Amino acid sequence: MSVLRTKPIKDVLAQDEADGSDGKLGLKRHLGARDLTGFGIGIVIGTGIFTLTGIEARDSAGPGVVISFAIAGVVACSPRSATPSWPLFP
């Protein structure tokens, strides 16, 4: 499987017709008020966590915090971290 693979537009249009979209193009709306409220709460909590972490790192930590954030970002983006059945460190 390639990361740069693409799906032919003919297949996309055929799938859209098979789903019965009545010829309308675009995305279907599936998010409700509960979903959007959950997104809003998650954004507020996430912003607060990263803001407090940054303030604490500025006041009492050193440059190691930047390095640890970079390592955490690389690990989070690796495909092995998304699959719990594979051990990260054998």
Side-chain angles (χ1 to χ4, degrees):
M1 238 196 264
S2 171
V3 176
L4 302 175
R5 70 181 187 270
T6 59
K7 188 173 186 180
I9 191 68
K10 292 178 186 177
D11 292 345
V12 174
L13 293 175
Q15 184 180 4
D16 194 35
E17 289 175 5
D19 289 342
S21 64
D22 299 330
K24 296 179 184 176
L25 296 176
L27 299 174
K28 298 178 182 96
R29 295 183 183 187
H30 290 288
L31 295 176
R34 185 175 183 177
D35 299 320
L36 296 176
T37 303
F39 280 138
I41 291 172
I43 289 168
V44 169
I45 291 173
T47 303
I49 289 172
F50 284 112
T51 302
L52 291 176
T53 304
I55 291 171
E56 192 62 33
R58 180 193 65 198
D59 293 342
S60 61
V65 173
V66 175
I67 295 169
S68 67
F69 266 74
I71 292 171
V74 170
V75 170
C77 291
S78 72
R80 291 188 69 170
S81 67
T83 309
S85 62
W86 292 354
L88 287 177
F89 304 105

